[in-house]
Amino acid sequence: MRLKLVPDETNFDFFGRPKLWLGISVFLILLSFGSFLIQGLNYGIDFRGGTTIRTESAQPVDVGAYRDALNALELGDVLISEVFDPTFGPDQNVAMVRIQAQEGEEAVTPELITAAQAALATVAPDIQFVSVESVGPKVSGELIRTAALAVALAIGAVLVYIWLRFEWQFALGAVVALVHDVVLTIGIFSELQIRFDLAIIAALLTIVGYSLNDTVVVFDRVRENLIRYKSRPLKEVLNLSINETLSRTFMTSVTTLLALIALFVLGGDVIRGFVFAMIWGVVVGTYSSIFVASTFLLWLGVKRDWTTTGDGGAGTQFADVDA
Amino acid sequence: MLQIDLWKRVLIWGVVALGLVLALPNAFYTRVEVHNDAMAAIELGADTPENQEKSAAWPTFLPSRLVNLGLDLRGGAHLLAEVKVADVYQTRLESFWPEVRDALRPERATVGTIRLQPSPPDELRVRISQPEGMTRAVELVRGLARPVVTLTGAGATDLDVRADGSDIVVTLSEAEKAATDERTMRQSLEIIRRRIDEVGTREPTIQRQGFDRILIQVPGIGSAAELKEIIGTTAQLTFQPVVGRAADAGAPAGAGNEVLPSLDEEGVFYILEQAPVVTGEDLVDAQPSFDQNGRPAVNFRFNPSGGRKFGDYTAENIGNPFAIVLDDEVISAPVIQSHIPGGSGIITGNFTVEESTNLAILLRAGALPAGLEFLEERTIGPELGQDSIDAGKVATLVAFVAVLVYMALSYGLFGLFANVALILNIALLFGMLSLIGATLTLPGIAGIVLTVGMAVDANVLVFERIREELKTAKGPARAIELGYEKALSAIVDANITTFITATILFVMGSGPVRGFAITLGLGILTSVFTAIFVTRLLIVIWFERRRPKTIEV
């Protein structure tokens, strides 16, 4: 007997309550924007500049004592947090110390790092600095610009690709879904104040890729069904296509989630934020390819006669792989 | 109906076998690493029995390229340095002063006395006492300019000369600045590379980034501070004539002279002529050695022009002291005993063996042409790297097994075929990573996990399609064929779009982002290959043997 999460034949009406789905999405997007505007993102040093020191000691971390030791140095904003992780050994007490970029410094200040390390060593003599990372303000500004540019470029590039392979309505639908996913992901990072650094940008772009993957598979089926059922209303064709690809959508999402959850639980605290972003992205991406991308396609309407090569042949000219 | 040509089958198995062989060394990582290190040592001349034995740990007929482990996995130091290219302008202009002086001297009658004026670093200001002669003076100085050799600036000269009241102002032309910047960057890269190579660490990355930056990543080094020490030391060596000795740094030096402290004698200062006789740039070799008293010293040798200058100077100044200056400190100021021809000599001082070795390395590697500013530095301890590797390994293994079980449960026999392809896919991915010498980082491991998801997706698309085709009952063979045919466009579109994002990530990204993009991009290539070709071949082979009347997917 086969394991089946989705029955062979499904006949859900995905467009029966468009206002509900739209409402959920709009609500979450507004929430994301609100959270972003009010509390902003918890930028890591990649984007903000400054220094993070990861300490490890056999003694339990005493955040107050660490803070007192560092306050004497007058480093400005210092953030100390203890790190818990199930993969740590019994005498592994880890803390993260984050020191803001110093005023008027364009580059990294080595004296500051040495001073901070010496101060911490007075509190916990056996302390080890397992990682020290410092980013100057000059670079951090550039990193955030390049990152934003990378996300924009990626979205632009897939827009063009789908436009060439399908029709502009498909491209627009897919891109709206993508922007939806990216906004919601940034939103949850802002809401939960998870550290937002360079690796998260990698995760964001993966979400772009994954969500697109889903959307494209659905669209591919829509295109096929549009040719097959020339006279059925667009809404029905879309519904049918989503139902037909539903078991695949779930199958793939579940396998990817299985892998990601394993990484989330067992992969250690260093990449947890990164993996969390991807898990969220897979869930949101699956949702958006069904409810956002297709709804948009329905609204925009799409040319029905795909067989003519006359004036409207633009969408099919690169699409003869599946002939 | 279900047919695959023999040559295609051979080709597919060939690619798979090649991938497996290339991936194989990674299964014996430590052993191969020991072998590689020993081979490298033997190549450098350390052909000891011990190294021979180590190199025998891995047979030479097998490939020995490994996936590089990134700093976040292995531990090490990362530095991003900005080269202050403008530093060089000043030196260039300063060195130009003697030429200007010599050119104007014969024309004293028209220009009057010539004096160097204090000026900002990017210009040279010379005052003449008779401004009436300015036209002639500017003409003469202009005559000293040389054409710049660049691709774009044909016809441009290296200097801009203008008159400003009674001053002649000399600046570098834009074309010359660009050419100088380029030279400075190349030189800096080369020198940093040589200095790090001298320390002999494994697989350092030294790359130019953008216009004036250099990225340096060295695995296995203790800290970024240590790395900075290795590359940051300038080791500017000069040999300068000694004018006298002084008791403090504020002693009056006189025009064209400078006061520098002694390296090993407390409170001793030397007054030296600023213009050196020979500089470290003329050095061709420096080796640690011992002087006649058995104390550590450094032997050096000049190139022919440096050797000639050194020889001429020593011949004319027997009995006078001259100073060996390293980074604005006088190492020693011996009295010239005799003419030293041949261009070689020895530096003695209060060195330990280690110091003399380091000095030799620094001298050999030459001076950095410009200062460095460190914009980013990261140290990842080896313990953290090991923890990350362990966690990553366990997580990947669990993820992998979970996916394999889930696929087998969902698709039965076809799921097993997909699983075989998935395992081969990961092997191929590692083979390709090893082949191109890519670096595996922590996000890279996440990229592999995602690849597992993507690889399964292509198979899922096909299997779901076969299921659908089976409903319209055209017989199993036809269903399989149609399944592959119809799923192809979705697989291609979905993977190309993801590949586009991976490419953009690779081009735009740095560090962790790039590591992720590599595994994701290569993973897409290998997963499309295994899903379209390998699983299909497996299914076809199975189908040919069993000839089932019905199939269950």
Side-chain angles (χ1 to χ4, degrees):
Chain A
M1 197 52 222
R2 295 278 191 275
L3 175 73
K4 272 182 192 145
L5 296 182
V6 177
D8 280 347
E9 294 279 350
T10 56
N11 206 1
F12 297 114
D13 183 11
F14 288 102
F15 301 100
R17 319 268 319 261
K19 284 192 182 142
L20 174 71
W21 304 123
L22 182 76
I24 292 177
S25 285
V26 169
F27 174 73
L28 287 177
I29 285 177
L30 287 179
L31 204 67
S32 301
F33 265 112
S35 170
F36 182 73
L37 288 179
I38 293 164
Q39 49 183 1
L41 286 169
N42 176 12
Y43 288 115
I45 57 152
D46 289 340
F47 297 136
R48 181 189 287 206
T51 301
T52 46
I53 301 173
R54 187 185 168 97
T55 68
E56 208 175 298
S57 163
Q59 303 163 10
V61 176
D62 182 349
V63 174
Y66 282 21
R67 183 172 302 281
D68 290 343
L70 288 174
N71 275 349
L73 298 172
E74 293 184 1
L75 299 170
D77 189 16
V78 176
L79 215 84
I80 302 168
S81 52
E82 193 176 352
V83 181
F84 296 99
D85 195 277
T87 59
F88 287 164
D91 59 348
Q92 201 177 5
N93 298 294
V94 176
M96 292 291 280
V97 178
R98 200 164 89 189
I99 303 165
Q100 72 167 68
Q102 301 300 299
E103 290 275 317
E105 291 285 348
E106 273 301 288
V108 172
T109 43
E111 297 80 20
L112 178 151
I113 301 172
T114 331
Q117 289 184 344
L120 288 171
T122 57
V123 183
D126 72 325
I127 201 162
Q128 282 186 313
F129 305 102
V130 285
S131 84
V132 181
E133 305 190 44
S134 238
V135 178
K138 203 180 200 171
V139 184
S140 60
E142 283 169 27
L143 286 176
I144 203 163
R145 273 195 300 279
T146 345
L149 189 63
V151 176
L153 264 183
I155 292 179
V158 299
L159 180 91
V160 172
Y161 179 81
I162 298 180
W163 178 37
L164 289 176
R165 285 280 288 158
F166 295 83
E167 284 279 317
W168 66 268
Q169 292 94 337
F170 287 88
L172 213 59
V175 165
V176 167
L178 283 188
V179 174
H180 170 265
D181 300 344
V182 170
V183 169
L184 287 197
T185 309
I186 292 178
I188 200 160
F189 269 76
S190 157
E191 190 53 45
L192 301 180
Q193 289 289 298
I194 302 170
R195 200 154 54 125
F196 195 88
D197 53 24
L198 260 187
I200 303 300
I201 297 293
L204 267 184
L205 281 154
T206 318
I207 293 169
V208 169
Y210 186 88
S211 162
L212 208 68
N213 194 327
D214 255 13
T215 311
V216 167
V217 170
V218 174
F219 281 4
D220 190 78
R221 186 58 72 100
V222 172
R223 181 172 58 187
E224 194 185 316
N225 283 339
L226 280 173
I227 298 170
R228 188 187 294 172
Y229 308 107
K230 288 198 177 65
S231 51
R232 280 173 89 170
L234 181 59
K235 191 173 177 177
E236 270 180 42
V237 175
L238 280 172
N239 228 341
L240 177 74
S241 308
I242 296 173
N243 274 304
E244 281 179 353
T245 48
L246 198 61
S247 62
R248 171 266 158 194
T249 305
F250 268 88
M251 188 72 203
T252 302
S253 297
V254 168
T255 44
T256 313
L257 281 177
L258 272 181
L260 286 174
I261 289 169
L263 210 58
F264 183 78
V265 177
L266 303 166
D269 69 292
V270 181
I271 50 167
R272 192 149 294 147
F274 174 74
V275 178
F276 174 79
M278 299 221 291
I279 291 178
W280 173 257
V282 169
V283 174
V284 172
T286 307
Y287 165 84
S288 77
S289 59
I290 295 175
F291 293 103
V292 180
S294 303
T295 309
F296 239 79
L297 194 58
L298 185 62
W299 276 357
L300 291 169
V302 74
K303 179 173 64 78
R304 297 305 306 273
D305 190 1
W306 289 65
T307 48
T308 54
T309 47
D311 54 18
T316 47
Q317 60 190 350
F318 294 101
D320 38 17
V321 176
D322 50 292
Chain B
M1 271 187 286
L2 275 180
Q3 274 176 356
I4 298 179
D5 296 340
L6 182 66
W7 69 270
K8 282 187 189 161
R9 296 181 187 215
V10 173
L11 192 66
I12 293 169
W13 288 132
V15 170
V16 169
L18 186 70
L20 285 178
V21 171
L22 284 173
L24 185 69
N26 294 296
F28 305 91
Y29 202 94
T30 331
R31 198 194 276 191
V32 180
E33 197 167 50
V34 166
H35 160 85
N36 286 351
D37 288 351
M39 289 298 275
I42 291 171
E43 213 157 272
L44 286 175
D47 196 355
T48 58
E50 197 187 16
N51 277 336
Q52 285 288 2
E53 192 185 313
K54 278 183 188 163
S55 78
W58 183 252
T60 42
F61 60 86
L62 286 174
S64 56
R65 300 185 84 153
L66 292 165
V67 172
N68 286 329
L69 294 180
L71 294 184
D72 50 357
L73 293 178
R74 189 196 281 271
H78 160 119
L79 281 180
L80 180 67
E82 188 166 86
V83 181
K84 308 188 114 184
V85 285
D87 278 6
V88 182
Y89 305 159
Q90 188 180 3
T91 340
R92 283 265 298 143
L93 286 168
E94 264 174 18
S95 69
F96 194 59
W97 158 239
E99 267 184 75
V100 174
R101 188 184 55 196
D102 293 347
L104 292 179
R105 235 179 222 156
E107 298 284 327
R108 280 243 172 95
T110 38
V111 301
T113 54
I114 319 144
R115 264 178 308 141
L116 185 61
Q117 297 297 306
S119 61
D122 58 349
E123 60 180 45
L124 182 74
R125 233 166 223 280
V126 178
R127 184 160 296 169
I128 53 174
S129 62
Q130 294 173 18
E132 313 85 71
M134 185 52 92
T135 331
R136 175 72 186 137
V138 167
E139 190 188 317
L140 275 172
V141 178
R142 265 199 195 127
L144 296 171
R146 282 178 288 261
V148 184
V149 187
T150 57
L151 290 175
T152 48
T157 54
D158 59 351
L159 297 173
D160 285 339
V161 183
R162 65 191 163 88
D164 179 15
S166 57
D167 290 353
I168 307 166
V169 181
V170 184
T171 50
L172 295 180
S173 68
E174 286 310 312
E176 175 63 11
K177 277 184 181 168
T180 309
D181 290 351
E182 188 58 35
R183 249 194 331 264
T184 309
M185 283 308 292
R186 287 197 186 179
Q187 221 175 330
S188 305
L189 265 174
E190 183 55 31
I191 287 164
I192 290 176
R193 182 166 298 134
R194 270 151 68 183
R195 285 189 185 168
I196 291 174
D197 282 349
E198 292 280 357
V199 189
T201 65
R202 187 183 286 144
E203 313 262 3
T205 308
I206 300 149
Q207 278 171 349
R208 179 164 176 183
Q209 284 210 324
F211 167 66
D212 58 356
R213 291 185 185 163
I214 297 176
L215 172 75
I216 307 144
Q217 290 186 318
V218 184
I221 201 166
S223 73
E226 203 176 306
L227 182 56
K228 273 199 282 191
E229 222 158 82
I230 294 169
I231 57 173
T233 327
T234 38
Q236 185 87 41
L237 184 77
T238 51
F239 295 83
Q240 286 163 261
V242 176
V243 179
R245 279 161 73 106
D248 68 297
N257 294 343
E258 60 184 344
V259 182
L260 295 179
S262 167
L263 178 71
D264 46 11
E265 293 164 283
E266 194 75 22
V268 174
F269 293 85
Y270 288 89
I271 302 171
L272 308 173
E273 276 185 33
Q274 236 167 9
V277 179
V278 198
T279 68
E281 268 147 44
D282 290 319
L283 270 183
V284 287
D285 193 21
Q287 293 293 339
S289 66
F290 296 94
D291 65 5
Q292 63 267 49
N293 301 321
R295 288 179 310 183
V298 176
N299 260 322
F300 61 86
R301 201 155 47 79
F302 288 119
N303 60 20
S305 90
R308 198 167 48 243
K309 280 190 265 180
F310 190 63
D312 290 351
Y313 183 80
T314 51
E316 287 162 20
N317 291 281
I318 293 171
N320 294 331
F322 86 119
I324 302 171
V325 181
L326 183 71
D327 290 338
D328 289 337
E329 280 184 317
V330 179
I331 293 183
S332 66
V335 171
I336 299 167
Q337 305 290 348
S338 60
H339 170 214
I340 308 173
S344 65
I346 188 165
I347 305 172
T348 55
N350 267 331
F351 300 134
T352 64
V353 174
E354 198 184 332
E355 279 167 352
S356 70
T357 312
N358 277 340
L359 180 58
I361 289 173
L362 290 174
L363 290 178
R364 209 159 47 222
L368 280 169
L372 295 177
E373 187 172 51
F374 295 99
L375 303 177
E376 202 184 303
E377 59 175 88
R378 296 170 198 262
T379 306
I380 290 108
E383 318 82 23
L384 184 61
Q386 193 56 49
D387 287 352
S388 300
I389 282 197
D390 294 344
K393 257 188 200 161
V394 174
T396 312
L397 209 67
V398 170
F400 207 59
V401 171
V403 171
L404 293 182
V405 171
Y406 182 62
M407 281 299 280
L409 285 179
S410 299
Y411 294 114
L413 183 65
F414 277 55
L416 289 181
F417 291 147
N419 287 344
V420 172
L422 186 57
I423 293 166
L424 290 176
N425 177 33
I426 298 296
L428 281 177
L429 178 57
F430 269 91
M432 274 178 81
L433 287 172
S434 311
L435 187 68
I436 63 169
T439 304
L440 185 65
T441 58
L442 211 47
I445 292 180
I448 293 177
V449 171
L450 205 70
T451 301
V452 172
M454 296 282 195
V456 170
D457 181 60
N459 282 316
V460 169
L461 277 168
V462 172
F463 295 167
E464 293 291 334
R465 200 73 205 216
I466 294 177
R467 271 186 191 171
E468 280 176 50
E469 297 301 328
L470 281 172
K471 282 181 213 158
T472 44
K474 288 171 197 134
R478 184 75 188 138
I480 292 170
E481 202 176 300
L482 279 177
Y484 269 98
E485 224 165 69
K486 293 200 170 169
L488 189 65
S489 78
I491 294 175
V492 168
D493 280 335
N495 281 289
I496 285 183
T497 43
T498 314
F499 194 74
I500 291 174
T501 44
T503 311
I504 289 175
L505 272 181
F506 182 76
V507 175
M508 307 276 300
S510 63
V513 177
R514 203 166 240 218
F516 175 77
I518 290 177
T519 49
L520 183 64
L522 290 181
I524 288 170
L525 295 182
T526 56
S527 66
V528 168
F529 171 79
T530 51
I532 296 182
F533 298 111
V534 180
T535 18
R536 184 186 213 159
L537 186 54
L538 288 172
I539 291 172
V540 168
I541 291 173
W542 165 78
F543 198 84
E544 280 171 347
R545 299 213 168 163
R546 290 291 161 83
R547 294 273 163 207
K549 289 278 175 288
T550 56
I551 54 171
E552 195 188 353
V553 180

